[in-house]
Amino acid sequence: MKFLSKVSYSLDYKVAVDELLSGVLKSDDIACLICYCTEEYSTLAVQQHLVNALPHTPIHGCTTCHGIMTETGFHSGPVIGALIIYDTGINAYGTGIEHFGDSIEKNTFRAIDKALKNANREGEIPDLILLHSTPGNEEKIMAAIDKKFGTAVPIIGGSAADNQVSGNWSIFTEESLSVNGLSLMAVFASQSIYSSLSAGHTPTQYSGTVTKVRNRVLLEIDHRPAVTVYNEWTNFHLGDSDDGYIFEKSSVYPLGRKVGSSYDYPYFKLSHSIRETENNGIELFTDINEGDTIYLMQGCKQQLIGRAANIIHSSYYNDMEFEEKLGAINIFCAGPMLNLKQDMDEVCNQINQALDGLPYICSFTFGEQGRLSGGENAHGNLMVSSATFYRLKK
């Protein structure tokens, strides 16, 4: 099993895809291709050109915010990248894609059924699910995946992103693409996989109870306007915003909800604020419910820089000397990336050290999915999701 990452800056999709596939051995050993691109690319054109070049290969793609990252560095967009996975062992990879309809659960079930059928593994439990969806229904999708399998399937995922939270996002597989749907890849790998989801933030002294919501808009905390309370908690960190857009500034102080505890230490899933609404509410990238206890969270720069490498390191909690790393798929929230932009080279350097310079690909998303340390599935924001592939040394 081996990995190969490729990057192109060409805005001509034919040239870009040709550059991605330059030097790629087009053989039966190609298990799948994972593709991320910024919004400047036509995902339809990219998808069609990839399918023409690799007609029998599972392809899973998603738009990313402002850039991608590989072992060769942080690549600011416009940019497109791919991770090619070669796997010659007893393996299978299959994708499924569905547009959202009346029932998120039924559409998720259909996507899973397609992926398992395409992998020729119907009725089996995957080693990993790589999940991408357009923003808005992530919690329902995660719940449907658990219901479908009846057990905790390892998941990593990220919600499709664009550059300005304006809806210029999409997902695609070799079958089709969607601007309002979900896609997933069922992975049955020949080697071992460790997956993880991490927040990297700690709670401050401030907390409150959600007393009024409307869909994903937080309206009141402790019966007071949400913006008023948030400004008091953060000492007016957001400042004035003419258009109410607070996506980048709010990444420093996300809101967190306690999910569980590990060795008496609580862990949280995070919610990222997008914009202030006209009624002093805060629009979020996650669901939120009345009665939830929310905490103002914070993370120091060094924590945020190091957390992507830390969750890769954490996969080797047994015997590092007996495990050989092979490559990885990483998901990194767009908010911290924008906040750390001048430090993203250091983020890349630390990941490279954790992976011994091996190939990986990382997208920057508007929501991250995975399993927390207690096994709970979670969709959160400002988080890092990662799958590290490795084999036991002989």
Side-chain angles (χ1 to χ4, degrees), residues 284-341:
L284 305 173
F285 261 126
T286 67
D287 289 351
I288 194 150
N289 301 300
E290 291 181 8
D292 286 349
T293 299
I294 55 174
Y295 300 79
L296 182 70
M297 309 290 288
Q298 65 180 357
C300 73
K301 179 182 282 191
Q302 290 308 310
Q303 282 179 310
L304 298 178
I305 289 174
R307 62 184 180 157
N310 290 339
I311 66 171
I312 293 170
H313 281 304
S314 70
S315 65
Y316 305 101
Y317 53 83
N318 291 322
D319 294 306
M320 292 177 63
E321 60 186 286
F322 298 116
E323 297 172 355
E324 177 188 0
K325 294 178 281 261
L326 301 169
I329 306 165
N330 295 319
I331 309 291
F332 197 102
C333 182
M337 179 274 291
L338 294 170
N339 185 44
L340 293 171
K341 204 159 190 180

Side-chain angles (χ1 to χ4, degrees), residues 86-377:
Y86 297 88
D87 199 347
T88 57
I90 302 172
N91 65 86
Y93 297 71
T95 65
I97 187 167
E98 286 289 329
H99 303 292
F100 289 139
D102 294 336
S103 172
I104 303 301
E105 181 179 280
K106 288 180 179 178
N107 287 303
T108 304
F109 287 177
R110 291 191 191 104
I112 293 170
D113 289 339
K114 282 184 182 179
L116 296 179
K117 183 177 181 179
N118 289 334
N120 197 27
R121 292 296 186 93
E122 292 172 278
E124 299 186 40
I125 306 295
D127 300 321
L128 175 74
I129 287 178
L130 174 62
L131 171 66
H132 291 302
S133 73
T134 55
N137 295 289
E138 294 92 341
E139 289 90 352
K140 296 181 180 69
I141 295 168
M142 295 287 284
I145 292 172
D146 277 358
K147 183 175 180 179
K148 177 71 171 179
F149 289 106
T151 188
V153 180
I155 298 172
I156 68 163
S159 307
D162 61 7
N163 293 342
Q164 297 292 334
V165 199
S166 54
N168 293 323
W169 47 58
S170 59
I171 54 173
F172 61 94
T173 69
E174 73 278 11
E175 176 192 342
S176 65
L177 66 83
S178 178
V179 297
N180 185 35
L182 75 142
S183 59
L184 53 85
M185 182 164 65
V187 176
F188 297 84
S190 65
Q191 303 298 332
S192 300
I193 308 171
Y194 175 82
S195 60
S196 183
L197 177 71
S198 172
H201 289 70
T202 55
T204 66
Q205 61 182 308
Y206 300 105
S207 65
T209 301
V210 176
T211 50
K212 189 175 182 180
V213 299
R214 185 182 68 247
N215 298 322
R216 285 187 164 186
V217 177
L218 171 61
L219 294 171
E220 291 183 0
I221 303 170
D222 294 330
H223 301 288
R224 300 175 64 216
V227 169
T228 301
V229 176
Y230 186 87
N231 282 334
E232 291 175 358
W233 285 356
T234 63
N235 195 25
F236 294 87
H237 167 76
L238 296 178
D240 294 325
S241 173
D242 293 336
D243 58 2
Y245 182 75
I246 58 175
F247 178 77
E248 293 187 30
K249 286 186 177 181
S250 65
S251 64
V252 177
Y253 292 110
L255 299 172
R257 283 169 291 170
K258 190 183 299 183
V259 179
S261 297
S262 178
Y263 300 102
D264 296 326
Y265 289 96
Y267 51 88
F268 299 78
K269 60 180 178 181
L270 307 181
S271 297
H272 191 185
S273 304
I274 306 171
R275 59 179 60 87
E276 298 175 357
T277 64
E278 293 180 353
N279 47 7
N280 288 317
I282 301 174
E283 183 182 353
L284 305 173
F285 261 126
T286 67
D287 289 351
I288 194 150
N289 301 300
E290 291 181 8
D292 286 349
T293 299
I294 55 174
Y295 300 79
L296 182 70
M297 309 290 288
Q298 65 180 357
C300 73
K301 179 182 282 191
Q302 290 308 310
Q303 282 179 310
L304 298 178
I305 289 174
R307 62 184 180 157
N310 290 339
I311 66 171
I312 293 170
H313 281 304
S314 70
S315 65
Y316 305 101
Y317 53 83
N318 291 322
D319 294 306
M320 292 177 63
E321 60 186 286
F322 298 116
E323 297 172 355
E324 177 188 0
K325 294 178 281 261
L326 301 169
I329 306 165
N330 295 319
I331 309 291
F332 197 102
C333 182
M337 179 274 291
L338 294 170
N339 185 44
L340 293 171
K341 204 159 190 180
Q342 67 277 14
D343 298 299
M344 288 305 295
D345 287 337
E346 178 59 25
V347 174
C348 184
N349 289 338
Q350 292 193 24
I351 294 175
N352 285 347
Q353 291 175 17
L355 284 173
D356 300 329
L358 290 163
Y360 71 91
I361 196 165
C362 179
S363 59
F364 301 108
T365 57
F366 284 165
E368 297 70 53
Q369 297 88 47
R371 300 225 174 256
L372 296 164
S373 56
E376 302 92 346
N377 75 52

